[in-house]
């Protein structure tokens, strides 16, 4: 077992790899019965996201400059056991076709759940149309679409898409479930997380649900900015306050797309990044067959942005100064 601490985040992750060989199995464990940070345990044994933003209303109109805005409805309500099971799965290379990479290989905790690399992206015909950066997983619980091109609105479908993508984890449903069901420890874990009987077979939707549960527990809503919004006027420096006010002003208009408190409006937008003329990445335009969306990509959250370079969907810029200049 390996402990990885994500600097500056105050979060400690247990990265556990479960191998098929009996010599490497871990028998002495139990799934956590408590919720991660920023989530509270309900009487129904569900982890509910909690924050100071719950006292604010969710705006019904586009951004108008206010900071005290309620958060959109979250994808929460998973049990602590389901979240913890997802944590084990997230760090396990057993989920890949050749047992060599895990979800955490690209979504690394010490890099704010990115990997700092732009990967080749292929269209439905297998043609390379550009490169795309690994997006951070912070606050995916509040997202309504996933991937840079917003090609799915279901987090479990997004998880399955990566598991079975030839360019990512290159597994298959049949092979994956054969491997998972062949590990005694996972049989016990899924029994604890989903109430399975000893003779029950682990199902794919339970695997994707556990992974979605863990990813939905990655919540970042307690920064110095949040403390400032909730009344601590000394949480930000005078220089930071000037920058924040410029950011949300009608002069800069940054906050119209990167809307607080998530610093995204959860929409797609044409960002003007120059694509390859010979084979451009059309983003959402290709997914939805809509010329108006050609070159449109999801507006990324700016949460923990100083630690998630390179920037833009294709990793075109190495620094934030390049992005804003």
């Amino acid at each position: 077992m390996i402990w990885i601490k994500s600097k500056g985040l105050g979060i400690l992750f247990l990265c556990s790899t479960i191998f098929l060989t009996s010599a490497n199995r871990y028998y002495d464990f139990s799934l956590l019965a408590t919720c991660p940070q920023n989530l509270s345990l309900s009487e129904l044994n569900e982890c509910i996201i909690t924050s100071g933003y719950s006292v604010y209303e969710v705006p019904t109109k586009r951004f108008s400059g206010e900071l005290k805005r309620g958060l959109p409805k979250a994808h929460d309500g998973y049990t602590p056991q389901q979240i913890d099971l997802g944590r084990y799965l997230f760090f396990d290379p057993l989920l890949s076709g050749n047992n060599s990479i895990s979800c955490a290989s690209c979504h690394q905790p010490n890099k704010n759940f990115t990997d700092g690399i732009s990967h080749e992206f292929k269209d439905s015909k297998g043609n390379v149309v550009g490169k795309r950066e690994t997006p951070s997983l912070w606050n995916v619980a509040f997202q309504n679409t996933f991937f840079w091109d917003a090609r799915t609105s279901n987090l479990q479908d997004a998880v399955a898409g990566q598991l079975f993508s030839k360019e990512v984890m290159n597994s298959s449903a049949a092979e994956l479930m054969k491997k998972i069901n062949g590990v005694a420890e996972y049989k016990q874990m899924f029994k604890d997380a989903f109430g399975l009987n000893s003779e029950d077979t682990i199902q794919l939707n339970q695997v994707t649900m556990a992974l979605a549960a863990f990813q939905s527990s990655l919540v970042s809503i307690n920064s110095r900015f949040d403390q400032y919004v909730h009344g601590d006027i000394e949480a930000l420096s005078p220089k930071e306050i000037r920058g924040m006010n410029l950011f949300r002003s009608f002069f800069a208009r940054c906050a119209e797309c990167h809307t607080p408190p998530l610093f995204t409006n959860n929409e797609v937008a044409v960002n003007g990044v120059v694509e390859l003329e010979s084979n451009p990445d059309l983003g959402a335009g290709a997914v939805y067959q809509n010329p108006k969306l050609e070159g449109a990509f999801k507006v990324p959250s700016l949460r923990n942005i100083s630690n998630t370079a390179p920037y833009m969907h294709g990793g075109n810029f190495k620094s934030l100064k390049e992005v804003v200049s």
Side-chain angles (χ1 to χ4, degrees):
M1 294 186 178
I2 303 171
W3 287 95
I4 294 180
K5 187 170 185 180
S6 185
K7 295 182 179 179
L9 300 176
I11 299 177
L12 204 60
F13 291 94
L14 174 61
C15 307
S16 180
T17 305
I18 300 179
F19 297 91
L20 291 176
T21 56
S22 60
N24 289 309
R25 286 183 176 170
Y26 308 111
Y27 293 95
D28 207 6
F29 67 86
S30 60
L31 294 176
L32 294 176
T34 56
C35 297
Q37 186 177 2
N38 292 319
L39 287 86
S40 299
L41 188 63
S42 74
E43 295 181 354
L44 300 176
N45 193 41
E46 296 175 341
C47 292
I48 307 299
I49 296 173
T50 56
S51 77
Y53 289 100
S54 61
V55 300
Y56 310 134
E57 292 185 2
V58 178
T60 56
K61 58 182 179 179
R62 295 186 67 86
F63 181 67
S64 60
E66 73 273 24
L67 294 178
K68 296 184 177 182
R69 302 165 60 88
L71 292 165
K73 181 176 175 57
H75 305 290
D76 55 8
Y78 299 102
T79 69
Q81 293 80 11
Q82 290 169 347
I83 292 172
D84 201 33
L85 169 58
R87 176 172 63 95
Y88 276 90
L89 292 168
F90 188 85
F91 291 100
D92 197 340
L94 183 71
L95 274 63
S96 63
N98 61 4
N99 302 334
S100 65
I101 65 171
S102 69
C103 304
S105 297
C106 291
H107 297 287
Q108 301 170 20
N110 62 332
K111 293 184 179 179
N112 279 271
F113 295 97
T114 69
D115 60 1
I117 300 173
S118 296
H119 302 268
E120 283 189 349
F121 178 76
K122 299 180 181 180
D123 62 19
S124 58
K125 297 181 181 179
N127 301 313
V128 176
V129 296
K131 292 187 175 182
R132 291 189 183 174
E133 183 198 10
T134 300
S136 174
L137 296 180
W138 283 119
N139 294 330
V140 295
F142 299 105
Q143 294 183 20
N144 52 26
T145 58
F146 305 94
F147 300 109
W148 280 106
D149 53 18
R151 61 183 180 269
T152 181
S153 59
N154 185 292
L155 182 53
Q156 285 186 236
D157 289 344
V159 168
Q162 298 301 82
L163 290 175
F164 306 137
S165 168
K166 293 181 180 180
E167 287 77 35
V168 187
M169 299 185 74
N170 194 27
S171 186
S172 69
E175 182 63 23
L176 174 60
M177 299 319 301
K178 179 181 178 180
K179 290 192 292 187
I180 293 291
N181 277 287
V183 179
E185 288 78 9
Y186 272 139
K187 293 284 285 188
Q188 181 61 48
M189 287 178 169
F190 277 85
K191 178 181 178 182
D192 294 344
F194 291 98
L196 303 184
N197 296 318
S198 56
E199 67 275 10
D200 289 339
T201 301
I202 300 169
Q203 301 298 314
L204 175 61
N205 72 306
Q206 293 165 341
V207 173
T208 58
M209 181 183 292
L211 285 165
F214 171 68
Q215 293 178 45
S216 296
S217 75
L218 303 175
V219 179
S220 175
I221 46 176
N222 192 29
S223 67
R224 289 188 296 113
F225 165 80
D226 302 302
Q227 294 165 22
Y228 177 86
V229 170
H230 299 325
D232 183 358
I233 61 174
E234 296 183 353
L236 298 179
S237 69
K239 186 176 182 179
E240 289 170 331
I241 293 173
R242 288 196 298 273
M244 177 189 67
N245 288 334
L246 177 61
F247 180 90
R248 64 195 187 101
S249 70
F250 285 109
F251 175 79
R253 307 178 77 92
C254 306
E256 289 189 16
C257 292
H258 297 286
T259 309
L262 296 178
F263 291 93
T264 177
N265 58 6
N266 274 331
E267 298 178 4
V268 297
V270 178
N271 56 28
V273 173
V274 177
E275 299 288 346
L276 295 174
E277 291 185 10
S278 59
N279 208 5
D281 186 350
L282 300 181
V287 172
Y288 296 99
Q289 298 296 301
N290 185 345
K292 294 182 179 179
L293 296 178
E294 290 185 0
F297 297 88
K298 279 197 64 177
V299 175
S301 170
L302 302 186
R303 288 274 172 172
N304 307 304
I305 192 68
S306 62
N307 298 311
T308 59
Y311 303 107
M312 312 303 285
H313 67 275
N316 305 67
F317 303 116
K318 296 180 179 179
S319 71
L320 290 172
K321 286 186 177 180
E322 290 182 80
V323 174
V324 300
S325 63

